[in-house]
Amino acid sequence: MKRLAYILIAIHLVGCSSTKMKETNVENIKPISEEVKSVAVNSEKINEQKSTEILKETKVIAKTPSFSDSQGIGSIMNFLASDELQGRDSGSEGIAKAADFIEGIFNTNGIKPYFESFRDTLSNFTEPAYNMVGFIEGTDPELKNEFIILGAHYDHIGRIKPKDGDEIANGANDNASGTTTVLELARYFGNSKTNKRSILFTLFSAEEKGLLGSKHLAKKLKDNGLNLYAMLNFEMVGVPLKDKDYLMYLTGYNLSNLADVSNGYSNQKVAGFLPKAREFNLFNRSDNAPFHEIYNVPSHTYSTFDFTNFSHYHQVGDEADKMDFDHMANVVNTLIPVMEGIINSPEQEIKYN
């Protein structure tokens, strides 16, 4: 019954934003009921007829400025950062439940496994642990051979020293927020099918153990000859920056022109420079780093954590009720034209300096 609950939550999220969207093009409306069969096959405990009834009236409208909303964001965040997942420690039962949930969202939105399944088992970690890797092939016959990775880590640190009777480090900002951003982008592209290049949606495990999930996957993809154009990572985007003239900052800001490219597609200053990011070497402390090292292609992290706007890092207080879901929806909606522009540009416009 628990697995059924996770999948039904994922199914619900497909339509949670549609009630507030303005219809821009009726041809872009895709009935989600087309995905029922694949959901049922991969989730054997779901009754197919019941799933069809749930999804029958649900539609996703693509290419709209208000694709994501706080209700949909909150539904994902409240599950991923719930006590039931016990802090999503790598190799734990809690993170396995998170993986089931992610798989449900991938299946429901037309995201395919890149490997034999969505689960990419880590080769460098002693406990059973796996990245979640979804795939959408590009629509352009030539550009589809180039890949963009949209990534975030979905693990956290599990149980820690109790504080006020609470020992679960729920990891809402770190990094259910980044995971939610990737899942919303997957939901968008899975239904709009507006990507000329191919996309990998990667949720990494064992980031908290030393970037082990991304190190494993970067090496595996390189060994398999995947043609990677850029790796765009999302880390701790659950609360807004204060007193800044940009929405997010980029780690490794001066290493490439990604900020200029991002700001151009968003028609606003979506990406800026945070001095503390350089001071604390954040470029090498998240899952973009292994792809930079192994591929030497533009690999950056977008974040809104600046060491002053959130005081619960790696503590039991990092819970969903501390997050700003309106801000997170704004992040997703602002990123959609940025990601779409980068993924569809005729040339590889992001360059290392």
Side-chain angles (χ1 to χ4, degrees):
M1 290 300 295
K2 288 184 177 180
R3 182 179 177 87
L4 172 60
Y6 307 148
I7 303 302
L8 290 180
I9 291 172
I11 291 172
H12 166 72
L13 294 174
V14 179
C16 61
S17 298
S18 62
T19 57
K20 295 186 179 181
M21 295 177 187
K22 294 181 180 179
E23 186 169 326
T24 57
N25 186 344
V26 294
E27 295 180 356
N28 288 327
I29 301 176
K30 177 183 177 181
I32 299 305
S33 56
E34 295 173 6
E35 305 298 335
V36 169
K37 185 176 180 180
S38 64
V39 174
V41 168
N42 288 280
S43 307
E44 66 277 5
K45 292 186 179 181
I46 291 183
N47 179 280
E48 186 170 352
Q49 183 177 355
K50 185 174 182 179
S51 298
T52 303
E53 292 172 356
I54 292 171
L55 299 176
K56 186 176 180 180
E57 297 180 357
T58 303
K59 296 181 179 181
V60 169
I61 303 173
K63 298 183 78 63
T64 170
S66 56
F67 177 82
S68 189
D69 65 24
S70 59
Q71 180 183 357
I73 294 289
S75 296
I76 302 174
M77 289 290 293
N78 285 322
F79 178 76
L80 290 177
S82 65
D83 283 355
E84 185 176 352
L85 270 60
Q86 299 291 300
R88 305 187 312 277
D89 196 9
S90 296
S92 70
E93 292 183 6
I95 199 171
K97 294 177 182 179
D100 288 341
F101 179 76
I102 291 166
E103 182 174 349
I105 292 178
F106 279 169
N107 276 322
T108 304
N109 289 284
I111 311 299
K112 307 301 181 185
Y114 182 69
F115 302 112
E116 291 184 2
S117 76
F118 290 114
R119 288 163 168 77
D120 165 45
T121 302
L122 271 58
S123 59
N124 53 1
F125 190 62
T126 54
E127 300 295 328
Y130 31 83
N131 302 318
M132 301 296 291
V133 185
F135 167 63
I136 300 179
E137 185 176 34
T139 60
D140 185 274
E142 294 186 7
L143 292 178
K144 71 178 183 180
N145 297 313
E146 300 174 7
F147 282 73
I148 298 278
I149 289 178
L150 305 182
H153 73 91
Y154 75 112
D155 68 306
H156 198 230
I157 58 175
R159 294 176 177 270
I160 60 175
K161 183 178 179 180
K163 182 178 181 181
D164 298 327
D166 187 359
E167 63 177 3
I168 300 174
N170 300 79
N173 202 17
D174 184 18
N175 187 33
S177 65
T179 299
T180 298
T181 300
V182 172
L183 290 176
E184 284 288 85
L185 291 172
R187 186 169 70 91
Y188 175 78
F189 284 106
N191 289 282
S192 69
K193 298 295 191 294
T194 55
N195 56 298
K196 293 183 179 180
R197 288 183 173 84
S198 296
I199 310 173
L200 291 185
F201 301 98
T202 58
L203 287 313
F204 301 106
S205 189
E207 188 269 358
E208 300 287 0
K209 309 297 184 183
L211 311 181
L212 297 184
S214 51
K215 288 177 180 178
H216 159 85
L217 185 60
K219 183 179 185 303
K220 183 174 181 177
L221 294 177
K222 182 69 171 180
D223 290 346
N224 289 345
L226 181 129
N227 180 15
L228 183 62
Y229 165 28
M231 192 281 179
L232 307 177
N233 191 52
F234 305 94
E235 175 89 45
M236 298 185 72
V237 294
V239 294
L241 293 165
K242 297 179 180 179
D243 302 321
K244 304 291 192 299
D245 65 350
Y246 48 85
L247 178 63
M248 294 177 280
Y249 66 86
L250 281 175
T251 64
Y253 178 92
N254 293 317
L255 293 179
S256 80
N257 64 340
L258 177 58
D260 291 337
V261 171
S262 299
N263 296 340
Y265 282 123
S266 64
N267 293 317
Q268 61 179 288
K269 198 168 183 182
V270 63
F273 171 65
L274 182 73
K276 281 186 176 292
R278 182 168 61 187
E279 178 185 348
F280 288 94
N281 193 27
L282 297 188
F283 179 78
N284 290 311
R285 293 174 60 181
S286 193
D287 290 307
N288 60 286
F291 293 91
H292 164 73
E293 294 170 2
I294 292 174
Y295 268 97
N296 193 31
V297 299
S299 306
H300 295 269
T301 293
Y302 295 85
S303 181
T304 66
F305 167 67
D306 69 355
F307 300 89
T308 67
N309 61 348
F310 187 71
S311 60
H312 304 282
Y313 173 70
H314 279 192
Q315 297 181 30
V316 296
D318 186 4
E319 302 207 37
D321 62 4
K322 306 290 195 310
M323 302 295 99
D324 186 330
F325 297 153
D326 287 332
H327 155 74
M328 291 182 62
N330 181 46
V331 165
V332 173
N333 291 326
T334 303
L335 283 172
I336 284 173
V338 175
M339 299 298 107
E340 207 161 39
I342 291 170
I343 289 166
N344 293 332
S345 63
E347 305 294 333
Q348 294 187 2
E349 57 191 339
I350 307 171
K351 307 286 186 183
Y352 267 153
N353 296 328

mmCIF file of all heavy atoms in Angstrom, residues 22-66:
data_model
loop_
_atom_site.group_PDB
_atom_site.id
_atom_site.type_symbol
_atom_site.label_atom_id
_atom_site.label_comp_id
_atom_site.label_asym_id
_atom_site.label_seq_id
_atom_site.Cartn_x
_atom_site.Cartn_y
_atom_site.Cartn_z
ATOM 1 N N LYS A 22 -2.659 29.532 -17.799
ATOM 2 C CA LYS A 22 -3.380 30.135 -18.904
ATOM 3 C C LYS A 22 -3.058 29.361 -20.165
ATOM 4 O O LYS A 22 -1.901 29.130 -20.483
ATOM 5 C CB LYS A 22 -2.967 31.595 -19.059
ATOM 6 C CG LYS A 22 -3.381 32.470 -17.882
ATOM 7 C CD LYS A 22 -2.970 33.910 -18.109
ATOM 8 C CE LYS A 22 -3.387 34.770 -16.932
ATOM 9 N NZ LYS A 22 -2.976 36.174 -17.125
ATOM 10 N N GLU A 23 -4.071 28.980 -20.887
ATOM 11 C CA GLU A 23 -3.879 28.187 -22.089
ATOM 12 C C GLU A 23 -3.271 29.047 -23.176
ATOM 13 O O GLU A 23 -3.808 30.084 -23.544
ATOM 14 C CB GLU A 23 -5.219 27.608 -22.529
ATOM 15 C CG GLU A 23 -5.112 26.646 -23.701
ATOM 16 C CD GLU A 23 -6.422 25.901 -23.904
ATOM 17 O OE1 GLU A 23 -7.094 25.621 -22.897
ATOM 18 O OE2 GLU A 23 -6.766 25.639 -25.045
ATOM 19 N N THR A 24 -2.122 28.625 -23.718
ATOM 20 C CA THR A 24 -1.445 29.406 -24.732
ATOM 21 C C THR A 24 -1.566 28.806 -26.112
ATOM 22 O O THR A 24 -1.502 29.505 -27.101
ATOM 23 C CB THR A 24 0.049 29.532 -24.383
ATOM 24 O OG1 THR A 24 0.606 28.222 -24.254
ATOM 25 C CG2 THR A 24 0.230 30.266 -23.067
ATOM 26 N N ASN A 25 -1.724 27.492 -26.175
ATOM 27 C CA ASN A 25 -1.807 26.828 -27.472
ATOM 28 C C ASN A 25 -2.470 25.477 -27.263
ATOM 29 O O ASN A 25 -1.879 24.591 -26.654
ATOM 30 C CB ASN A 25 -0.402 26.659 -28.079
ATOM 31 C CG ASN A 25 -0.455 26.107 -29.494
ATOM 32 O OD1 ASN A 25 -1.468 25.568 -29.937
ATOM 33 N ND2 ASN A 25 0.644 26.259 -30.209
ATOM 34 N N VAL A 26 -3.674 25.317 -27.796
ATOM 35 C CA VAL A 26 -4.400 24.073 -27.531
ATOM 36 C C VAL A 26 -3.690 22.876 -28.116
ATOM 37 O O VAL A 26 -3.876 21.743 -27.664
ATOM 38 C CB VAL A 26 -5.844 24.153 -28.087
ATOM 39 C CG1 VAL A 26 -6.650 25.190 -27.338
ATOM 40 C CG2 VAL A 26 -5.840 24.459 -29.591
ATOM 41 N N GLU A 27 -2.844 23.077 -29.108
ATOM 42 C CA GLU A 27 -2.125 21.953 -29.694
ATOM 43 C C GLU A 27 -1.081 21.401 -28.745
ATOM 44 O O GLU A 27 -0.593 20.294 -28.913
ATOM 45 C CB GLU A 27 -1.465 22.380 -31.003
ATOM 46 C CG GLU A 27 -2.475 22.748 -32.093
ATOM 47 C CD GLU A 27 -1.782 23.173 -33.366
ATOM 48 O OE1 GLU A 27 -0.533 23.255 -33.356
ATOM 49 O OE2 GLU A 27 -2.469 23.415 -34.359
ATOM 50 N N ASN A 28 -0.695 22.197 -27.747
ATOM 51 C CA ASN A 28 0.312 21.750 -26.787
ATOM 52 C C ASN A 28 -0.286 21.003 -25.605
ATOM 53 O O ASN A 28 0.433 20.590 -24.706
ATOM 54 C CB ASN A 28 1.112 22.955 -26.265
ATOM 55 C CG ASN A 28 2.046 23.504 -27.301
ATOM 56 O OD1 ASN A 28 2.564 22.752 -28.121
ATOM 57 N ND2 ASN A 28 2.267 24.810 -27.281
ATOM 58 N N ILE A 29 -1.613 20.850 -25.584
ATOM 59 C CA ILE A 29 -2.249 20.139 -24.481
ATOM 60 C C ILE A 29 -2.136 18.648 -24.717
ATOM 61 O O ILE A 29 -2.557 18.132 -25.741
ATOM 62 C CB ILE A 29 -3.729 20.529 -24.352
ATOM 63 C CG1 ILE A 29 -3.849 22.044 -24.113
ATOM 64 C CG2 ILE A 29 -4.390 19.760 -23.230
ATOM 65 C CD1 ILE A 29 -5.274 22.530 -24.062
ATOM 66 N N LYS A 30 -1.538 17.953 -23.750
ATOM 67 C CA LYS A 30 -1.328 16.518 -23.890
ATOM 68 C C LYS A 30 -2.070 15.752 -22.801
ATOM 69 O O LYS A 30 -1.801 15.950 -21.628
ATOM 70 C CB LYS A 30 0.159 16.191 -23.794
ATOM 71 C CG LYS A 30 0.443 14.694 -23.864
ATOM 72 C CD LYS A 30 1.905 14.420 -23.701
ATOM 73 C CE LYS A 30 2.174 12.928 -23.706
ATOM 74 N NZ LYS A 30 3.594 12.624 -23.513
ATOM 75 N N PRO A 31 -3.023 14.904 -23.140
ATOM 76 C CA PRO A 31 -3.711 14.112 -22.112
ATOM 77 C C PRO A 31 -2.741 13.145 -21.439
ATOM 78 O O PRO A 31 -2.079 12.355 -22.091
ATOM 79 C CB PRO A 31 -4.791 13.354 -22.903
ATOM 80 C CG PRO A 31 -4.910 14.070 -24.211
ATOM 81 C CD PRO A 31 -3.547 14.631 -24.483
ATOM 82 N N ILE A 32 -2.677 13.206 -20.124
ATOM 83 C CA ILE A 32 -1.750 12.349 -19.404
ATOM 84 C C ILE A 32 -2.211 10.905 -19.400
ATOM 85 O O ILE A 32 -1.436 9.994 -19.160
ATOM 86 C CB ILE A 32 -1.587 12.868 -17.963
ATOM 87 C CG1 ILE A 32 -1.013 14.281 -18.006
ATOM 88 C CG2 ILE A 32 -0.654 11.988 -17.157
ATOM 89 C CD1 ILE A 32 0.280 14.389 -18.768
ATOM 90 N N SER A 33 -3.479 10.643 -19.727
ATOM 91 C CA SER A 33 -3.982 9.271 -19.700
ATOM 92 C C SER A 33 -3.233 8.370 -20.672
ATOM 93 O O SER A 33 -3.260 7.154 -20.540
ATOM 94 C CB SER A 33 -5.470 9.247 -20.026
ATOM 95 O OG SER A 33 -5.732 9.857 -21.267
ATOM 96 N N GLU A 34 -2.513 8.948 -21.639
ATOM 97 C CA GLU A 34 -1.709 8.137 -22.553
ATOM 98 C C GLU A 34 -0.609 7.397 -21.808
ATOM 99 O O GLU A 34 -0.072 6.395 -22.276
ATOM 100 C CB GLU A 34 -1.090 9.038 -23.625
ATOM 101 C CG GLU A 34 -2.118 9.695 -24.535
ATOM 102 C CD GLU A 34 -1.473 10.704 -25.479
ATOM 103 O OE1 GLU A 34 -0.231 10.762 -25.475
ATOM 104 O OE2 GLU A 34 -2.192 11.394 -26.193
ATOM 105 N N GLU A 35 -0.220 7.899 -20.618
ATOM 106 C CA GLU A 35 0.897 7.313 -19.884
ATOM 107 C C GLU A 35 0.458 6.234 -18.898
ATOM 108 O O GLU A 35 1.283 5.635 -18.226
ATOM 109 C CB GLU A 35 1.631 8.415 -19.103
ATOM 110 C CG GLU A 35 2.108 9.576 -19.958
ATOM 111 C CD GLU A 35 3.106 9.140 -21.004
ATOM 112 O OE1 GLU A 35 3.771 8.117 -20.792
ATOM 113 O OE2 GLU A 35 3.218 9.812 -22.022
ATOM 114 N N VAL A 36 -0.873 5.992 -18.794
ATOM 115 C CA VAL A 36 -1.359 5.081 -17.754
ATOM 116 C C VAL A 36 -0.751 3.691 -17.880
ATOM 117 O O VAL A 36 -0.362 3.068 -16.909
ATOM 118 C CB VAL A 36 -2.898 5.003 -17.789
ATOM 119 C CG1 VAL A 36 -3.401 3.880 -16.909
ATOM 120 C CG2 VAL A 36 -3.478 6.325 -17.322
ATOM 121 N N LYS A 37 -0.661 3.209 -19.121
ATOM 122 C CA LYS A 37 -0.162 1.846 -19.310
ATOM 123 C C LYS A 37 1.241 1.684 -18.777
ATOM 124 O O LYS A 37 1.544 0.714 -18.077
ATOM 125 C CB LYS A 37 -0.213 1.465 -20.791
ATOM 126 C CG LYS A 37 0.174 0.022 -21.050
ATOM 127 C CD LYS A 37 0.010 -0.349 -22.514
ATOM 128 C CE LYS A 37 0.392 -1.799 -22.758
ATOM 129 N NZ LYS A 37 0.232 -2.164 -24.190
ATOM 130 N N SER A 38 2.141 2.639 -19.080
ATOM 131 C CA SER A 38 3.521 2.519 -18.612
ATOM 132 C C SER A 38 3.594 2.633 -17.103
ATOM 133 O O SER A 38 4.407 1.984 -16.459
ATOM 134 C CB SER A 38 4.413 3.579 -19.267
ATOM 135 O OG SER A 38 4.015 4.875 -18.880
ATOM 136 N N VAL A 39 2.735 3.468 -16.507
ATOM 137 C CA VAL A 39 2.718 3.572 -15.046
ATOM 138 C C VAL A 39 2.314 2.246 -14.424
ATOM 139 O O VAL A 39 2.921 1.774 -13.475
ATOM 140 C CB VAL A 39 1.744 4.687 -14.598
ATOM 141 C CG1 VAL A 39 1.614 4.706 -13.090
ATOM 142 C CG2 VAL A 39 2.226 6.038 -15.103
ATOM 143 N N ALA A 40 1.284 1.615 -14.996
ATOM 144 C CA ALA A 40 0.789 0.355 -14.428
ATOM 145 C C ALA A 40 1.817 -0.751 -14.554
ATOM 146 O O ALA A 40 1.991 -1.557 -13.643
ATOM 147 C CB ALA A 40 -0.507 -0.044 -15.131
ATOM 148 N N VAL A 41 2.514 -0.806 -15.695
ATOM 149 C CA VAL A 41 3.519 -1.851 -15.908
ATOM 150 C C VAL A 41 4.633 -1.740 -14.893
ATOM 151 O O VAL A 41 5.098 -2.742 -14.336
ATOM 152 C CB VAL A 41 4.081 -1.771 -17.338
ATOM 153 C CG1 VAL A 41 5.313 -2.651 -17.478
ATOM 154 C CG2 VAL A 41 3.023 -2.187 -18.344
ATOM 155 N N ASN A 42 5.069 -0.522 -14.595
ATOM 156 C CA ASN A 42 6.190 -0.324 -13.691
ATOM 157 C C ASN A 42 5.773 -0.254 -12.231
ATOM 158 O O ASN A 42 6.613 -0.179 -11.360
ATOM 159 C CB ASN A 42 6.936 0.962 -14.085
ATOM 160 C CG ASN A 42 7.719 0.787 -15.364
ATOM 161 O OD1 ASN A 42 8.813 0.230 -15.363
ATOM 162 N ND2 ASN A 42 7.152 1.245 -16.466
ATOM 163 N N SER A 43 4.510 -0.226 -11.956
ATOM 164 C CA SER A 43 4.008 -0.158 -10.584
ATOM 165 C C SER A 43 2.896 -1.191 -10.436
ATOM 166 O O SER A 43 1.718 -0.886 -10.548
ATOM 167 C CB SER A 43 3.484 1.239 -10.283
ATOM 168 O OG SER A 43 4.451 2.192 -10.593
ATOM 169 N N GLU A 44 3.307 -2.439 -10.216
ATOM 170 C CA GLU A 44 2.404 -3.566 -10.339
ATOM 171 C C GLU A 44 1.223 -3.511 -9.388
ATOM 172 O O GLU A 44 0.195 -4.146 -9.640
ATOM 173 C CB GLU A 44 3.176 -4.869 -10.134
ATOM 174 C CG GLU A 44 3.740 -5.066 -8.717
ATOM 175 C CD GLU A 44 5.058 -4.356 -8.485
ATOM 176 O OE1 GLU A 44 5.485 -3.628 -9.390
ATOM 177 O OE2 GLU A 44 5.650 -4.532 -7.416
ATOM 178 N N LYS A 45 1.313 -2.738 -8.330
ATOM 179 C CA LYS A 45 0.226 -2.699 -7.355
ATOM 180 C C LYS A 45 -0.838 -1.659 -7.689
ATOM 181 O O LYS A 45 -1.813 -1.514 -6.960
ATOM 182 C CB LYS A 45 0.798 -2.426 -5.958
ATOM 183 C CG LYS A 45 1.630 -3.585 -5.433
ATOM 184 C CD LYS A 45 2.061 -3.360 -4.004
ATOM 185 C CE LYS A 45 2.864 -4.527 -3.477
ATOM 186 N NZ LYS A 45 3.276 -4.342 -2.083
ATOM 187 N N ILE A 46 -0.627 -0.889 -8.760
ATOM 188 C CA ILE A 46 -1.646 0.086 -9.163
ATOM 189 C C ILE A 46 -2.686 -0.610 -10.015
ATOM 190 O O ILE A 46 -2.359 -1.287 -10.975
ATOM 191 C CB ILE A 46 -1.010 1.254 -9.944
ATOM 192 C CG1 ILE A 46 -0.157 2.096 -8.990
ATOM 193 C CG2 ILE A 46 -2.078 2.131 -10.589
ATOM 194 C CD1 ILE A 46 0.440 3.300 -9.651
ATOM 195 N N ASN A 47 -3.916 -0.433 -9.680
ATOM 196 C CA ASN A 47 -5.000 -0.943 -10.513
ATOM 197 C C ASN A 47 -5.131 -0.050 -11.732
ATOM 198 O O ASN A 47 -5.356 1.147 -11.630
ATOM 199 C CB ASN A 47 -6.306 -0.914 -9.710
ATOM 200 C CG ASN A 47 -7.481 -1.407 -10.527
ATOM 201 O OD1 ASN A 47 -8.028 -0.670 -11.333
ATOM 202 N ND2 ASN A 47 -7.858 -2.653 -10.312
ATOM 203 N N GLU A 48 -4.974 -0.641 -12.938
ATOM 204 C CA GLU A 48 -4.919 0.157 -14.160
ATOM 205 C C GLU A 48 -6.207 0.938 -14.390
ATOM 206 O O GLU A 48 -6.194 2.095 -14.807
ATOM 207 C CB GLU A 48 -4.623 -0.737 -15.367
ATOM 208 C CG GLU A 48 -4.417 0.051 -16.649
ATOM 209 C CD GLU A 48 -3.894 -0.813 -17.772
ATOM 210 O OE1 GLU A 48 -3.542 -1.981 -17.515
ATOM 211 O OE2 GLU A 48 -3.846 -0.331 -18.904
ATOM 212 N N GLN A 49 -7.345 0.321 -14.117
ATOM 213 C CA GLN A 49 -8.602 1.017 -14.328
ATOM 214 C C GLN A 49 -8.725 2.228 -13.406
ATOM 215 O O GLN A 49 -9.142 3.313 -13.824
ATOM 216 C CB GLN A 49 -9.774 0.072 -14.085
ATOM 217 C CG GLN A 49 -11.139 0.726 -14.356
ATOM 218 C CD GLN A 49 -12.275 -0.258 -14.175
ATOM 219 O OE1 GLN A 49 -12.044 -1.438 -13.935
ATOM 220 N NE2 GLN A 49 -13.490 0.219 -14.289
ATOM 221 N N LYS A 50 -8.325 2.067 -12.154
ATOM 222 C CA LYS A 50 -8.395 3.170 -11.207
ATOM 223 C C LYS A 50 -7.459 4.292 -11.626
ATOM 224 O O LYS A 50 -7.798 5.480 -11.542
ATOM 225 C CB LYS A 50 -8.042 2.686 -9.795
ATOM 226 C CG LYS A 50 -8.211 3.769 -8.737
ATOM 227 C CD LYS A 50 -7.980 3.192 -7.350
ATOM 228 C CE LYS A 50 -8.207 4.264 -6.289
ATOM 229 N NZ LYS A 50 -8.007 3.744 -4.925
ATOM 230 N N SER A 51 -6.242 3.930 -12.099
ATOM 231 C CA SER A 51 -5.301 4.939 -12.554
ATOM 232 C C SER A 51 -5.869 5.725 -13.716
ATOM 233 O O SER A 51 -5.698 6.940 -13.816
ATOM 234 C CB SER A 51 -3.981 4.275 -12.976
ATOM 235 O OG SER A 51 -3.379 3.629 -11.889
ATOM 236 N N THR A 52 -6.550 5.017 -14.628
ATOM 237 C CA THR A 52 -7.147 5.690 -15.783
ATOM 238 C C THR A 52 -8.192 6.700 -15.334
ATOM 239 O O THR A 52 -8.252 7.814 -15.848
ATOM 240 C CB THR A 52 -7.793 4.653 -16.722
ATOM 241 O OG1 THR A 52 -6.798 3.697 -17.112
ATOM 242 C CG2 THR A 52 -8.337 5.325 -17.976
ATOM 243 N N GLU A 53 -9.003 6.307 -14.341
ATOM 244 C CA GLU A 53 -10.033 7.215 -13.844
ATOM 245 C C GLU A 53 -9.411 8.451 -13.202
ATOM 246 O O GLU A 53 -9.884 9.568 -13.377
ATOM 247 C CB GLU A 53 -10.911 6.483 -12.836
ATOM 248 C CG GLU A 53 -11.764 5.377 -13.462
ATOM 249 C CD GLU A 53 -12.479 4.558 -12.416
ATOM 250 O OE1 GLU A 53 -12.245 4.809 -11.208
ATOM 251 O OE2 GLU A 53 -13.256 3.665 -12.789
ATOM 252 N N ILE A 54 -8.307 8.253 -12.463
ATOM 253 C CA ILE A 54 -7.636 9.372 -11.801
ATOM 254 C C ILE A 54 -7.086 10.348 -12.825
ATOM 255 O O ILE A 54 -7.154 11.560 -12.670
ATOM 256 C CB ILE A 54 -6.493 8.865 -10.894
ATOM 257 C CG1 ILE A 54 -7.079 8.087 -9.705
ATOM 258 C CG2 ILE A 54 -5.636 10.022 -10.381
ATOM 259 C CD1 ILE A 54 -6.041 7.369 -8.896
ATOM 260 N N LEU A 55 -6.523 9.819 -13.913
ATOM 261 C CA LEU A 55 -5.824 10.655 -14.878
ATOM 262 C C LEU A 55 -6.701 11.121 -16.033
ATOM 263 O O LEU A 55 -6.270 11.951 -16.833
ATOM 264 C CB LEU A 55 -4.630 9.878 -15.453
ATOM 265 C CG LEU A 55 -3.576 9.461 -14.446
ATOM 266 C CD1 LEU A 55 -2.505 8.621 -15.121
ATOM 267 C CD2 LEU A 55 -2.945 10.674 -13.801
ATOM 268 N N LYS A 56 -7.902 10.607 -16.133
ATOM 269 C CA LYS A 56 -8.720 10.825 -17.324
ATOM 270 C C LYS A 56 -8.910 12.300 -17.639
ATOM 271 O O LYS A 56 -8.848 12.717 -18.789
ATOM 272 C CB LYS A 56 -10.072 10.154 -17.140
ATOM 273 C CG LYS A 56 -10.950 10.192 -18.398
ATOM 274 C CD LYS A 56 -12.238 9.425 -18.165
ATOM 275 C CE LYS A 56 -13.114 9.443 -19.403
ATOM 276 N NZ LYS A 56 -14.376 8.705 -19.183
ATOM 277 N N GLU A 57 -9.146 13.115 -16.594
ATOM 278 C CA GLU A 57 -9.449 14.512 -16.827
ATOM 279 C C GLU A 57 -8.237 15.406 -16.627
ATOM 280 O O GLU A 57 -8.349 16.634 -16.663
ATOM 281 C CB GLU A 57 -10.563 14.954 -15.885
ATOM 282 C CG GLU A 57 -11.869 14.204 -16.125
ATOM 283 C CD GLU A 57 -12.963 14.659 -15.192
ATOM 284 O OE1 GLU A 57 -12.681 15.511 -14.320
ATOM 285 O OE2 GLU A 57 -14.091 14.181 -15.342
ATOM 286 N N THR A 58 -7.060 14.820 -16.415
ATOM 287 C CA THR A 58 -5.870 15.602 -16.125
ATOM 288 C C THR A 58 -5.110 15.912 -17.405
ATOM 289 O O THR A 58 -4.799 15.018 -18.165
ATOM 290 C CB THR A 58 -4.938 14.825 -15.164
ATOM 291 O OG1 THR A 58 -5.669 14.528 -14.003
ATOM 292 C CG2 THR A 58 -3.725 15.656 -14.810
ATOM 293 N N LYS A 59 -4.785 17.180 -17.604
ATOM 294 C CA LYS A 59 -4.018 17.593 -18.775
ATOM 295 C C LYS A 59 -2.900 18.529 -18.332
ATOM 296 O O LYS A 59 -3.017 19.246 -17.344
ATOM 297 C CB LYS A 59 -4.913 18.292 -19.791
ATOM 298 C CG LYS A 59 -5.997 17.385 -20.387
ATOM 299 C CD LYS A 59 -6.840 18.126 -21.404
ATOM 300 C CE LYS A 59 -7.890 17.202 -22.005
ATOM 301 N NZ LYS A 59 -8.716 17.888 -23.015
ATOM 302 N N VAL A 60 -1.812 18.523 -19.084
ATOM 303 C CA VAL A 60 -0.720 19.444 -18.833
ATOM 304 C C VAL A 60 -0.625 20.396 -19.995
ATOM 305 O O VAL A 60 -0.614 19.969 -21.143
ATOM 306 C CB VAL A 60 0.624 18.691 -18.654
ATOM 307 C CG1 VAL A 60 1.780 19.665 -18.669
ATOM 308 C CG2 VAL A 60 0.602 17.916 -17.348
ATOM 309 N N ILE A 61 -0.575 21.682 -19.722
ATOM 310 C CA ILE A 61 -0.454 22.688 -20.761
ATOM 311 C C ILE A 61 0.985 23.186 -20.770
ATOM 312 O O ILE A 61 1.477 23.714 -19.773
ATOM 313 C CB ILE A 61 -1.423 23.857 -20.512
ATOM 314 C CG1 ILE A 61 -2.858 23.334 -20.435
ATOM 315 C CG2 ILE A 61 -1.287 24.919 -21.589
ATOM 316 C CD1 ILE A 61 -3.862 24.376 -20.021
ATOM 317 N N ALA A 62 1.664 22.988 -21.896
ATOM 318 C CA ALA A 62 3.071 23.359 -21.984
ATOM 319 C C ALA A 62 3.213 24.800 -22.459
ATOM 320 O O ALA A 62 2.269 25.439 -22.893
ATOM 321 C CB ALA A 62 3.790 22.411 -22.935
ATOM 322 N N LYS A 63 4.453 25.286 -22.367
ATOM 323 C CA LYS A 63 4.841 26.596 -22.872
ATOM 324 C C LYS A 63 3.975 27.703 -22.267
ATOM 325 O O LYS A 63 3.311 28.474 -22.958
ATOM 326 C CB LYS A 63 4.786 26.645 -24.401
ATOM 327 C CG LYS A 63 5.730 25.668 -25.056
ATOM 328 C CD LYS A 63 5.706 25.806 -26.546
ATOM 329 C CE LYS A 63 6.512 27.011 -26.987
ATOM 330 N NZ LYS A 63 7.934 26.916 -26.657
ATOM 331 N N THR A 64 3.970 27.757 -20.947
ATOM 332 C CA THR A 64 3.246 28.818 -20.253
ATOM 333 C C THR A 64 4.132 29.405 -19.173
ATOM 334 O O THR A 64 4.901 28.681 -18.546
ATOM 335 C CB THR A 64 1.954 28.282 -19.624
ATOM 336 O OG1 THR A 64 1.408 29.285 -18.759
ATOM 337 C CG2 THR A 64 2.192 27.033 -18.815
ATOM 338 N N PRO A 65 4.063 30.729 -18.946
ATOM 339 C CA PRO A 65 4.921 31.342 -17.927
ATOM 340 C C PRO A 65 4.630 30.849 -16.522
ATOM 341 O O PRO A 65 5.457 30.986 -15.641
ATOM 342 C CB PRO A 65 4.586 32.840 -18.065
ATOM 343 C CG PRO A 65 4.005 32.998 -19.420
ATOM 344 C CD PRO A 65 3.290 31.719 -19.701
ATOM 345 N N SER A 66 3.442 30.285 -16.267
ATOM 346 C CA SER A 66 3.075 29.848 -14.924
ATOM 347 C C SER A 66 2.933 28.334 -14.864
ATOM 348 O O SER A 66 1.994 27.803 -14.298
ATOM 349 C CB SER A 66 1.774 30.521 -14.483
ATOM 350 O OG SER A 66 0.735 30.261 -15.404
#
